[in-house]
Amino acid sequence: MPARRPPDPRLSALGRALKRVRTERGLTLDELAARSGVSRRVLSYAEGGLINPGILSFVAIVRALGIDSAELLQPMMDEMEKQAVQEQAPG
């Protein structure tokens, strides 16, 4: 398991989106792993926001789910925008 550190909100957003799409499609982690060629462990850690799955795994997951990459990336992009606004806000 990856070293414990504070969760990255961007990866958490990506993970939530991944889990939402997977469950909407009625797939288990094992089924998505078999379809994508990405290990169940990597999928589980990615859904938990614990790891960045990497671009090759990401593309394999998107293809296995039959979706546009934006469906998973948009929640992460929204989180990045939120963080940028918070960093610019006078404190």
Side-chain angles (χ1 to χ4, degrees):
M1 182 164 186
R4 288 282 182 188
R5 58 181 172 238
D8 184 319
R10 299 165 299 181
L11 294 179
S12 294
L14 178 65
R16 285 190 303 273
L18 173 56
K19 185 171 186 174
R20 177 185 52 78
V21 173
R22 177 182 60 78
T23 57
E24 284 174 356
R25 300 226 172 354
L27 296 172
T28 66
L29 283 170
D30 289 325
E31 290 168 333
L32 182 54
R35 288 183 183 198
S36 67
V38 176
S39 75
R40 183 188 192 287
R41 179 177 287 190
V42 167
L43 291 170
S44 178
Y45 287 170
E47 284 188 359
L50 299 175
I51 63 164
N52 180 342
I55 191 67
L56 296 178
S57 293
F58 179 79
V59 170
I61 293 165
V62 166
R63 286 185 174 168
L65 291 170
I67 60 172
D68 186 274
S69 61
E71 193 166 346
L72 296 183
L73 290 175
Q74 191 59 54
M76 186 174 74
M77 298 299 291
D78 293 344
E79 184 60 40
M80 291 172 74
E81 180 65 26
K82 180 178 155 186
Q83 284 182 346
V85 169
Q86 289 174 347
E87 290 171 2
Q88 293 176 356

